[in-house]
Every structure is written in structure tokens, then in C-alpha cells.
Amino acid sequence: MNLEGLEMVAVLVVLALFVKVLEQFGLFEPVSLEDSVEDEFELSTVCHRPEGLEQLQEQTKFTRKELQVLYRGFKNECPSGIVNEENFKQIYSQFFPQGDSSTYATFLFNAFDTNHDGSVNFEDFVAGLSVILRGTIDDRLNWAFNLYDLNKDGCITKEVCKATEELKGEMLDIMKSIYDMMGKYTYPALREEAPREHVESFFQKMDRNKDGVVTIEEFIESCQKDENIMRSMQLFDNVI
């Protein structure tokens, strides 16, 4: 992976990696009539019984058949009907054997765990996917912003320690997690100061009023002006 322009990878990576997650969950497999009947039966036998397909159809932008495909993949990976953070990390680690994806997987897990109960059920899963795969551009950017707003205070921060002048904050945590995840696949080789440099570049582009934080409005406006980000989002329009 070329690290040039990694300041935008923080936005792109959540979308690009979801292709891998969807493949892992087997979401590209066709659903037969037999599968549909089996899925209906399984809905009543797992430890966590999700809401009926009709209700989920109303709450998301998926059809009944698409929900059956999603559920089949979900229960293959999570027979109990619930995935916890450790399970989620294990699934993600398969894609990055040369790196450490655990921190980034935690950030992503927390974005799906909207009620903060330490688990993601099928309803949580399809609610997030509905936004990512079927939402408007603004919907998807709002979801990505929420992912990176780690403390959920409505902005992405960059802080500098007065005593040491060391950079810290949410965006640095995110960048470090991406570098850790890519491991030795990064090219050119990772320099220790690279994550900090890309945080500075990110804020130069997105912090339009230069107040040291990126608001949701600044984030969406900047992303909408970036052709690469806009193109990447269109790739998910026909995933399932």
C-alpha cells in the first residue's frame, strides 16, 4: 500500500475494508428457496432471535431476499446470533496477518454497537450496512464521521501536549491503528513520524476554520470535494 495521501485513507479504509468483511460473511452467495425456509427456521432457534424480516425490511433499505442473504452469512460466522468485540477482532485479523488490526477493529465494532452493550446482533449489523451500502452520500459520510469521532463529542480532535509538544488526539489514534493494521504491507516503509505527518495533512484539508477540530460539516464538505472518496462510495451501490 502506497502511503501517499494516507490522510484520506482514514475516510476510504472503512468502505474498502467492508468488501472483505462482506466476503468473509459470505454475502455474495445466492439464496435458494431451501435456504429461505432454513433462514426462517433459524430465526427462531438461535440464542438471539432477531426481529422479523418484515420489520427489518421497514427499518432498512434491504429487500426481504437481501436480508435473507445477509442473515445467512451472519449466522454462518455467528451461530449464536451475536458477535462480541473479540469475535469481531478475530474475523478482521484474517485479512491482515502481517499487521495488528485489533485497534481498528475495535473502532469499527464500536460504530456498529450503537447501544454500547458490548455486542453486535443481526439488527445492529444490517442497520449499519444499510447506511453504508444503501444510504445517501451524506448518510455514509455521517456514519464514517461517527466511526472516527471516538469519544462521540461531535468533532474529530487534534491535540498538542504543551509540555512535550507531542501530538495526540482521536485522529492520531485512527492513523496509528491504520498503520498498525497494514503492517509490513506499507510502502514505502513506515517511518515513526509518518502518522503524525498525515494527521497534520488531514487537518490542513478538513479543518477549514483552523480551530483544531473537524466538525461534521467540515468533514462532509471536504469529502464531497474529494473525487477519490466520492468514487469509492459509488463502488458499494451494487455490492448485494
Side-chain angles (χ1 to χ4, degrees), residues 17-29:
L17 293 181
F18 246 92
V19 170
K20 295 180 178 291
V21 173
L22 292 172
E23 289 173 347
Q24 175 67 22
F25 278 109
L27 302 186
F28 298 106
E29 300 175 358

Side-chain angles (χ1 to χ4, degrees), residues 201-226:
S201 181
F202 177 91
F203 272 82
Q204 275 189 336
K205 290 185 178 183
M206 295 204 172
D207 182 13
R208 296 190 171 271
N209 63 357
K210 309 304 177 186
D211 64 350
V213 300
V214 173
T215 64
I216 182 63
E217 293 80 14
E218 290 173 320
F219 182 82
I220 290 177
E221 181 181 354
S222 299
C223 289
Q224 288 178 337
K225 291 180 178 179
D226 188 284

Side-chain angles (χ1 to χ4, degrees), residues 1 9 13-14 17 92 95-105 174-186:
M1 174 185 175
V9 171
V13 73
V14 63
L17 293 181
Y92 236 71
F95 308 131
F96 302 96
Q98 305 301 320
D100 180 0
S101 63
S102 59
T103 301
Y104 190 86
I174 293 159
M175 287 297 181
K176 283 182 175 179
S177 74
I178 294 172
Y179 274 93
D180 290 343
M181 180 170 59
M182 300 311 298
K184 61 177 65 176
Y185 287 120
T186 56

Side-chain angles (χ1 to χ4, degrees), residues 69-188:
V69 174
L70 289 167
Y71 182 71
R72 186 165 183 78
F74 188 84
K75 72 182 179 64
N76 283 343
E77 287 297 323
C78 316
S80 68
I82 294 176
V83 58
N84 60 31
E85 185 177 331
E86 287 307 311
N87 298 146
F88 199 84
K89 287 179 180 179
Q90 289 173 7
I91 292 172
Y92 236 71
S93 67
Q94 298 174 42
F95 308 131
F96 302 96
Q98 305 301 320
D100 180 0
S101 63
S102 59
T103 301
Y104 190 86
T106 294
F107 295 156
L108 191 56
F109 178 85
N110 289 338
F112 276 96
D113 181 18
T114 54
N115 61 356
H116 311 298
D117 65 354
S119 64
V120 171
N121 58 33
F122 182 63
E123 295 95 321
D124 298 329
F125 185 64
V126 294
L129 285 186
S130 180
V131 174
I132 295 168
L133 301 182
R134 298 292 164 79
T136 65
I137 294 298
D138 280 3
D139 290 337
R140 297 176 189 185
L141 290 176
N142 269 284
W143 196 92
F145 182 87
N146 179 66
L147 170 65
Y148 296 125
D149 178 15
L150 301 181
N151 64 0
K152 311 307 177 191
D153 66 349
C155 59
I156 300 173
T157 59
K158 176 189 70 171
E159 304 169 20
V160 179
C161 177
K162 293 182 179 180
T164 63
E165 296 188 353
E166 182 178 353
L167 185 66
K168 57 181 181 178
E170 292 167 314
M171 204 62 214
L172 183 60
D173 292 340
I174 293 159
M175 287 297 181
K176 283 182 175 179
S177 74
I178 294 172
Y179 274 93
D180 290 343
M181 180 170 59
M182 300 311 298
K184 61 177 65 176
Y185 287 120
T186 56
Y187 179 84

